[in-house]
Amino acid sequence: MQPQEQPVVKIGQLEVRYLMDGTVTGAGVGMFELTVPPGARVPPAHSHRDNEEVVYVLDGTLRYAVDDEVRDLKPGDRMYSPRGSVHAFSNPHDGRARALVILTPDIGAQYFREVAEVVNTPGGPSPARMVEVMTRYGARPCAAQSTHRRTVSLFNLN
């Protein structure tokens, strides 16, 4: 079964291109391409109550943290976020980073559309509204990890 192509979701400077939405296909797994320009605002460190995540870098260098481990991932590198682990990403490097992200079970493209709606609101995002969206999908913002404190967040929850 060929998954239906989804339009790119722009969340600030980030781009999420869903390749397979497990919440629609019933596959239980989702896959999307994430593009992160250098210095882009990114989500705060967070955890997922129900989802595991694998990030596989396609282009550039993506800084990725899972609990206390922080790595600069280059093409072909990957990192796994177990359910409930605190994880975050950023791109403090010179070029854009592109990664394939696999979630199981999938959180779904609708989550990212709702996050985009909050983030892209004129006047800036509402932290309370963002927390409401994240909570509804089983995500929880967490305190920033020390290696990510210099990263500018999409919204200020810390």
Side-chain angles (χ1 to χ4, degrees):
M1 173 174 161
Q2 181 66 22
Q4 181 178 1
E5 179 120 1
Q6 301 277 334
V8 172
V9 178
K10 291 190 173 247
I11 305 171
Q13 294 177 286
L14 305 178
E15 292 183 0
V16 173
R17 185 171 69 98
Y18 247 83
L19 304 171
M20 187 166 98
D21 187 336
T23 64
V24 173
T25 65
V29 66
M31 181 171 57
F32 62 89
E33 182 181 297
L34 172 67
T35 302
V36 186
R41 293 176 178 262
V42 296
H46 60 281
S47 65
H48 297 278
R49 178 188 65 222
D50 303 319
N51 316 91
E52 297 175 79
E53 185 172 303
V54 176
V55 173
Y56 178 84
V57 173
L58 301 168
D59 294 313
T61 304
L62 183 69
R63 179 160 297 156
Y64 200 77
V66 178
D67 295 325
D68 295 328
E69 183 180 358
V70 179
R71 294 176 46 210
D72 283 336
L73 304 175
K74 296 182 178 345
D77 291 341
R78 68 217 173 271
M79 206 157 172
Y80 167 68
S81 301
R83 189 173 287 138
S85 65
V86 176
H87 56 282
F89 65 89
S90 64
N91 183 359
H93 308 287
D94 292 334
R96 79 176 182 141
R98 208 166 49 91
L100 187 64
V101 181
I102 300 167
L103 287 165
T104 183
D106 193 14
I107 202 166
Q110 183 60 33
Y111 168 74
F112 293 100
R113 287 191 285 270
E114 290 184 38
V115 166
E117 184 179 306
V118 173
V119 169
N120 300 332
T121 300
S126 159
R129 217 169 133 225
M130 184 59 70
V131 169
E132 185 274 320
V133 170
M134 291 178 77
T135 302
R136 196 160 15 95
Y137 286 88
R140 183 177 66 84
C142 303
Q145 297 171 346
S146 60
T147 57
H148 289 273
R149 288 189 201 281
R150 291 182 302 279
T151 301
V152 180
S153 179
L154 285 169
F155 46 96
N156 184 9
L157 294 176
N158 301 327

